[in-house]
Amino acid sequence: MTLAERRLFVERWIRSPLKVASVTPSGPELCRAMARAAGCAPQRRVVELGPGTGPVTAALLDQGVAPENLLLIELDNAFVDHLSTLHPETTVVNGDATRIARILRDQGWDGCDAVVSGLPLIAMPLPVQARVVRGVFSVLKPDGVFVQFTYGPFAPINPELIRRLRLRPRRHSWIARNLPPASVWTFRRLP
C-alpha cells in the first residue's frame, strides 16, 4: 500500500469511522484469504462490497478474477475515484450495498458467483444488515458464496438472520498476522 493510499484511508476513517470501521486497511494475508474463499477464477463473476482503497480488489485480480467479471460497489466518493483510477478495467459503482440487486441489474449482470465484503456488517443495525445480506443472496447463483471478514470471534452476521435465511456459516480462515487479527467467514444457502 502506498503512502497516498494509507493517507486516503485514514482521512476517510476520520470523517466516517462507523462506515470505514477500521483505522487500517486489510493486510495482504487477509486479502489473499478473502480471494481464496471466493474461489477466484477468470469465468467467475465477483462483486466486492466496500472495497475502500482496493487491497482485496488487488488480491481478487491477482488470484484470477477477470477484470470484466469484477464489480466494485463503494459508497464513499473519494474511494470510488481512487478505485476507478487504480483499476480502470473493472466496473466501479458509487452505490449503497443495500441496493446490490438493482446495481447488478443496472450493470446488465444476471447474478454472480461470489460476493466479497469488507463492510462492518456486525456493527450495522439489524435492519440494515438484513437488507445487505438479503440483497446478497438475491443475486448469488444457487451455489454462490458470500465472503465476509470480521475482527470478532463469532460469525459476522446476526444468528437470527442466519437462521431465518437458512444460511450455512463456516469460518474459512483465521489471520493472526492481520492488524487486528481477523477471521474470514463464508456463507452459503442450505439446500
Side-chain angles (χ1 to χ4, degrees), residues 37 145-148 155-156 162 167-173 183-188:
V145 61
F146 178 44
V147 181
Q148 175 71 49
I162 290 172
L167 304 179
R168 185 180 69 220
R170 178 179 162 260
R171 185 188 314 249
H172 179 271
S173 52
S183 293
V184 175
W185 286 76
T186 59
F187 298 86
R188 297 178 188 273

Side-chain angles (χ1 to χ4, degrees), residues 21-22 26 30 33-34 117-124 129 146-158 169-176 178-187:
S22 175
S26 301
L30 175 57
M34 298 278 286
S117 171
L119 299 176
L121 273 185
I122 201 72
M124 293 178 177
Q129 185 184 123
F146 178 44
V147 181
Q148 175 71 49
F149 78 89
T150 185
Y151 300 122
F154 305 109
I157 296 177
N158 181 285
R170 178 179 162 260
R171 185 188 314 249
H172 179 271
S173 52
W174 184 66
I175 314 302
N178 193 68
L179 182 63
S183 293
V184 175
W185 286 76
T186 59
F187 298 86

Side-chain angles (χ1 to χ4, degrees), residues 25-45:
S26 301
E29 288 184 34
L30 175 57
C31 296
R32 285 191 295 271
M34 298 278 286
R36 281 192 303 274
C40 295
Q43 73 281 6
R44 285 178 63 85
R45 285 196 145 179

Side-chain angles (χ1 to χ4, degrees), residues 36-152:
R36 281 192 303 274
C40 295
Q43 73 281 6
R44 285 178 63 85
R45 285 196 145 179
V46 179
V47 174
E48 185 181 359
L49 303 177
T53 57
V56 174
T57 307
L60 292 166
L61 293 166
D62 288 347
Q63 294 285 323
V65 174
E68 64 273 13
N69 286 332
L70 183 56
L71 174 62
L72 311 174
I73 301 174
E74 174 57 58
L75 189 59
D76 186 287
N77 290 325
F79 287 151
V80 169
D81 292 344
H82 174 75
L83 291 162
S84 297
T85 300
L86 191 62
H87 301 290
E89 68 283 5
T90 66
T91 302
V92 182
V93 175
N94 184 205
D96 186 328
T98 62
R99 302 186 188 286
I100 186 173
R102 172 179 240 160
I103 291 169
L104 264 67
R105 276 194 310 273
D106 290 349
Q107 295 301 316
W109 285 33
D110 61 355
C112 62
D113 300 292
V115 175
V116 177
S117 171
L119 299 176
L121 273 185
I122 201 72
M124 293 178 177
L126 184 56
V128 176
Q129 185 184 123
R131 284 197 306 272
V132 171
V133 176
R134 280 192 183 103
V136 164
F137 281 93
S138 76
V139 300
L140 277 174
K141 294 179 180 174
D143 60 343
V145 61
F146 178 44
V147 181
Q148 175 71 49
F149 78 89
T150 185
Y151 300 122

